[in-house]
């Protein structure tokens, strides 16, 4: 699929060394070639290889290189590592590189970026360095960044860019065209032009294609689209992304509390957010934090160990339940052999339900109107699975152990724990969401506790009740 | 945040009945109001409520209504349920409604849609119905849909729309503007114009804003952007989405095998795909299939039960390991109490590593260049977690049971199983990906088998070896 690549400068590479593999990722051979040249001190050779790359690929090159090679790499590539490359770079990798730069160098890069990318560049620096960088910037750029930093992280205010095209409502199409042709101060690319009233409140949107098709002497209020989705500056970015999806937006105006136009968000930034927010469910449910493979090791260990520690208490609680029934187990050790099956099935069933519920909540598919229906639905699924698989296991148990009541107990415990798992898997995330607690982060530990303790309790409890041992 | 909504027609609603809740979802009260009117046979009342809604909200209304109310709802709303509404609707909900329509009605709706949406509408119908619908369509629309259907599902060919603006390379800017003004046959909105050579191969892209700013007498080859990302018609949609993200595209040209322009993909369709593909990891890892809450119950039960059945064998295998050590357990029943702790911790640690690996693979962050580094990284994390938490548990064990060698065995088993979990969690998805098997679907069962069997084996085996009982 080499025809899909933007550039194909194979010249500098030895034979069989394609820049990209068939999934458009930098090939291992290419990355190695660049690193070899850097190690040999052949900066010119490294630059020749990297020069034709798209900024997104240069950013990838840094991510794919070992952390200890990155400073040498940035030195060798020098000005090839420009603002666009920093904008595309993974947060942790960028932070590592930025730390090694002087404040005035960071300021220079930040000045060339859109406000949102500049903010991403410096928001994680410590306060002193941040001040030094801002101090080294032009007053106008500094003001824009300081304003952006005044909004909470992960809100529209952080995301938006201030470079946009806004025109007054009394203009004709001709005025707009004259304006964009004569002004040097506009963004290079824009997809929509915002029409504002005297108070600078957006009243409509001009799509590029509509302007192209309109007659020169038409008033823009006749051409513009009046329906618009305005984004409040303090809206959470996940919410913003859902609006973009729901209304298929290319760009949207951001307004402050009094309704004035203060910025614009474009769909390319939203793509990254959707990717992140939708993908983080799997990571959060597993307790892997943000799961970034470029995060420093110590920070990853801290995040994961903390989660495992919390979950150990679940396991200890479950062990406590087993301890209650020690005597039964001592008399019939088969109970110890089978008890894991009841729990394992419950854990898996709960994980399924929980993943579905968390996803449906995150995509706004599950609301007050259909929550109850979802609970009933999961009840049916859990019952069907419990009865079906419980029967199967009971038959297996009977064939192996020839113990009718043991098989009955196994069947009952599996039905009970399956229903327990299904209901926990749906009710716990729903309840957490209602309490405004992120269900993706907190559900697992509660749900596991329910399935583990209830699983042991049902199986061992019933066994004791039936005097099996 | 009512100011962000596109329309606010509260007139028909009683007090306190906002159409949207604060997350822009249809409020429960609103959905109930509409359903009440439908049940009372007050179609006019229901229509008055729904009329001001955006098509995306009308689609949501159907999803939020109970399945058995949907046919009555579509009948009451009649032409308010137009092509745009069908385009926004959940696949399962749409399929349910389409089944109830006559072929000529489906054909009418399909004719008004972009090719990609029309294909989505009819691709899941059975062959006979599909033929009837296609037969009822205009030859031109039929040809476009039949061509789209000839491409594999989830490829660029299915996603693309054929309505686009393409102009010959020898034109001036003026020609382009005259063309888009005079032609009635163009799409209403377009963001980019494709420039093609005589063989209809795309050679560049005109962004709307660049055309607006150019002089009338400039040749378009001077204005167009030559760098372009061309999408082969058979490229997988996930791959397409990654290109859009990497290169921040708004739209992209789709080309056939000979490089001719055959269609266009726009970013709004990509947003949905990113949302789906990124979100499905959590669902696939949990074995919940596509996890759609609108899927028919029987089909959901089948998917989930199959997964639980496969995983039961994991549990049975683990039970087999316990059975090997029955005698040790019979002599020291504490082993049965503690063995779940070793496994629980291993399972959780493996889930973390697996979620991170699957995510990094899906986003192209993990490639041949850094796989080994990732394995080493996970080894360190697993060792740290195993040593830290193993020590903690060993101390706890010593305090409760005053059995030094039991505590040592617990410690060693936790370290061994933590490292086993970490390495399984990264090596199994990597291996599956190398074999071109989707790691999100298949990893869990292998990884669980490793942590469960090894966990029991390490703990019970060491206990037996140390003659604890």
């Amino acid at each position: 699929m080499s025809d899909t690549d933007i550039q194909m400068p194979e010249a500098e590479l030895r034979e069989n060394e394609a820049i990209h593999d068939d999934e458009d990722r930098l090939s291992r051979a290419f990355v190695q070639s660049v690193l070899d040249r850097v190690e040999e001190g052949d900066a010119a050779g490294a630059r020749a290889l990297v020069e034709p790359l798209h900024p997104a690929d240069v950013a990838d090159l840094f991510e794919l290189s070992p952390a200890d090679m990155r400073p040498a790499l940035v030195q060798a590539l020098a000005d090839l590592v420009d603002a666009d490359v920093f904008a595309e770079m993974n947060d942790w990798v960028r932070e590592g590189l930025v730390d090694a730069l002087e404040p005035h160098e960071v300021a220079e890069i930040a000045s060339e970026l859109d406000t949102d990318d500049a903010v991403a560049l410096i928001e994680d620096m410590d306060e002193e360095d941040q001040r030094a960088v801002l101090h080294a910037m032009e007053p106008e750029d500094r003001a824009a960044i300081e304003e952006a930093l005044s909004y909470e992280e992960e809100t529209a205010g952080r995301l938006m860019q201030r470079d946009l095209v806004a025109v007054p409502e009394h203009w004709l199409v001709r005025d707009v065209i004259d304006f964009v042709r004569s002004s040097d101060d506009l963004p290079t690319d824009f997809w929509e032009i915002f029409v504002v009233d005297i108070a600078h409140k957006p009243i409509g949107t001009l799509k590029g294609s509509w302007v192209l098709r309109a007659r020169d002497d038409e008033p823009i209020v006749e051409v513009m689209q009046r329906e618009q989705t305005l984004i409040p500056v303090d809206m959470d970015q996940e919410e913003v992304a859902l609006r973009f999806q729901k209304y298929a937006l290319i760009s949207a105006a951001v307004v402050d509390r009094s309704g004035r136009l203060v910025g614009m968000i474009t769909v390319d930034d939203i793509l990254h957010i959707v990717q992140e927010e939708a993908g983080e469910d799997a990571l959060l449910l597993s307790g892997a934090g943000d799961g970034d493979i470029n995060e420093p090791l110590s920070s990853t260990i801290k995040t994961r160990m903390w989660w495992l520690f919390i979950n150990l208490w679940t396991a200890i609680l479950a062990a406590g339940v087993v301890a209650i029934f020690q005597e039964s187990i001592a008399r019939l050790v088969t109970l110890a052999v089978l008890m894991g099956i009841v729990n394992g099935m419950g854990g898996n069933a709960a994980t399924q339900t929980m993943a579905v519920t968390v996803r449906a909540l995150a995509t706004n598919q599950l609301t007050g109107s259909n929550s109850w229906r979802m609970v009933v639905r999961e009840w049916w699924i859990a019952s069907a699975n419990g009865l079906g698989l419980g029967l199967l296991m009971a038959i297996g148990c009977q064939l192996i152990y020839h113990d009718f009541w043991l098989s009955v107990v196994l069947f009952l415990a599996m039905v009970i724990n399956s229903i327990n798992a299904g209901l926990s898997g749906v009710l716990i995330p729903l309840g957490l969401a209602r309490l405004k607690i992120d269900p993706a982060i907190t559900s697992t530990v509660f749900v596991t506790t329910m399935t583990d303790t209830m699983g042991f309790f049902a199986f061992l409890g019933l066994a004791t009740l039936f005097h099996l041992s």
Side-chain angles (χ1 to χ4, degrees), chain A:
Chain A
M1 281 180 235
S2 60
D3 52 344
T4 67
D5 294 320
I6 289 193
Q7 303 101 344
M8 281 278 90
E10 312 286 284
E12 289 285 330
L13 283 165
R14 285 185 296 275
E15 229 182 326
N16 295 329
E17 274 188 25
I19 292 185
H20 293 94
D21 65 14
D22 58 6
E23 294 187 34
D24 196 40
R25 307 170 305 193
L26 291 178
S27 73
R28 188 174 178 167
F30 177 82
V31 174
Q32 203 48 57
S33 295
V34 176
L35 293 179
D36 285 348
R37 281 168 177 72
V38 172
E39 273 193 331
E40 292 159 8
D42 176 13
R47 290 172 56 86
L49 283 174
V50 173
E51 221 208 316
L53 294 185
H54 187 278
D57 278 321
V58 182
D60 283 352
L61 176 64
F62 278 90
E63 291 164 33
L64 294 174
S65 303
D68 56 1
M69 283 292 292
R70 289 174 196 154
L73 188 58
V74 78
Q75 207 156 24
L77 300 181
D79 60 305
L80 291 181
V81 190
D82 59 10
D84 289 336
V85 173
F86 276 100
E88 297 283 346
M89 214 176 270
N90 172 281
D91 286 354
W92 291 107
V93 175
R94 182 172 52 211
E95 212 176 293
L97 289 179
V98 167
D99 282 351
L101 294 176
E102 292 295 315
H104 75 269
E105 294 172 304
V106 181
E108 212 169 288
I109 295 167
S111 309
E112 284 169 42
L113 292 171
D114 285 339
T115 328
D116 55 329
D117 292 324
V119 167
L121 188 67
I122 67 171
E123 66 187 349
D124 293 322
M125 302 177 93
D126 61 45
E127 221 171 303
E128 199 184 328
D129 291 344
Q130 211 177 70
R131 246 200 316 269
V133 170
L134 287 169
H135 187 75
M137 295 183 78
E138 299 288 320
E140 201 182 326
D141 292 337
R142 178 166 61 215
I145 291 181
E146 279 174 340
E147 197 209 320
L149 286 171
S150 75
Y151 300 112
E152 290 225 34
E153 278 189 54
E154 310 214 328
T155 62
R158 285 282 176 106
L159 259 182
M160 71 187 182
Q161 53 194 74
R162 276 147 198 78
D163 289 340
L164 52 80
V165 187
V167 296
E169 56 182 320
H170 62 264
W171 277 12
L172 303 179
V173 167
R174 181 192 306 131
D175 300 322
V176 173
I177 294 177
D178 288 348
F179 174 66
V180 298
R181 284 196 183 161
S182 61
S183 175
D184 297 331
D185 206 28
L186 299 179
T188 337
D189 301 340
F190 53 88
W191 311 103
E192 291 177 319
I193 295 171
F194 300 101
V195 181
V196 291
D197 66 11
I198 300 180
H200 213 65
K201 291 182 184 170
I203 57 164
T205 309
L206 287 169
K207 297 189 182 187
S209 57
W210 293 18
V211 176
L212 276 181
R213 305 175 89 169
R215 290 193 326 275
D216 276 2
D217 57 351
E218 265 185 287
I220 55 175
V221 289
E222 304 287 319
V223 180
M224 74 184 185
Q225 179 180 347
R226 284 174 190 278
E227 283 181 353
Q228 44 179 356
T229 303
L230 302 178
I231 307 287
V233 75
D234 54 0
M235 183 182 265
D236 184 82
Q237 64 175 20
E238 193 166 3
E239 213 41 53
V240 177
L242 286 171
R243 304 285 158 110
F244 266 77
Q245 279 184 276
K246 182 168 176 182
Y247 302 118
L249 305 177
I250 296 293
S251 58
V254 180
V255 292
D256 65 13
R257 260 165 222 189
S258 55
R260 273 191 306 255
L261 179 69
V262 291
M264 164 179 82
I265 295 176
T266 51
V267 69
D268 53 316
D269 293 320
I270 296 298
L271 262 188
H272 285 277
I273 289 169
V274 172
Q275 171 76 274
E276 264 176 47
E277 299 269 351
E280 75 180 10
D281 281 359
L283 298 165
L284 293 176
L285 282 169
S286 77
D290 72 355
D292 193 316
I293 64 172
N294 293 296
E295 192 183 4
L297 194 61
S298 61
S299 148
T300 304
I301 291 176
K302 210 155 68 184
T303 312
R304 298 223 206 149
M305 200 190 282
W306 175 241
W307 174 265
L308 295 175
F309 175 72
I310 304 272
N311 278 273
L312 262 184
W313 290 99
T314 301
I316 292 170
L317 201 65
V321 174
V322 178
I324 298 174
F325 300 103
Q326 291 200 59
E327 283 176 40
S328 303
I329 294 174
R331 283 194 296 266
L332 183 66
V333 80
T334 316
L335 295 180
V337 175
L338 296 178
M339 65 186 189
I341 293 178
V342 178
N343 274 25
M345 195 258 188
N348 287 328
T351 304
Q352 292 181 330
T353 309
M354 191 166 61
V356 172
T357 309
V358 165
R359 190 85 201 107
L361 281 168
T363 51
N364 274 353
Q365 284 193 285
L366 193 55
T367 77
S369 314
N370 57 352
S371 293
W372 179 242
R373 217 181 322 141
M374 172 90 176
V375 174
V376 173
R377 184 182 150 83
E378 290 299 333
W379 186 86
W380 280 109
I381 296 171
S383 305
N385 285 339
L387 290 170
L389 298 173
L391 195 63
L392 196 74
M393 283 297 103
I395 292 171
C397 177
Q398 180 63 22
L399 291 175
I400 294 175
Y401 293 107
H402 308 291
D403 182 335
F404 179 72
W405 289 108
L406 179 65
S407 307
V408 169
V409 164
L410 182 60
F411 172 75
L412 289 178
M414 283 189 72
V415 173
I416 292 172
N417 205 28
S418 178
I419 293 176
N420 164 50
L423 293 183
S424 306
V426 61
L427 290 173
I428 289 174
L430 276 176
L432 289 167
R434 192 148 296 182
L435 297 173
K436 306 270 174 208
I437 299 170
D438 186 346
I441 300 176
T442 38
S443 294
T444 307
V445 62
F446 293 112
V447 172
T448 316
T449 306
M450 285 300 290
T451 55
D452 277 7
T453 53
M454 268 305 273
F456 285 141
F457 204 82
F459 181 63
L460 299 175
L462 284 171
T464 308
L465 210 67
F466 279 54
H467 299 294
L468 284 186
S469 43

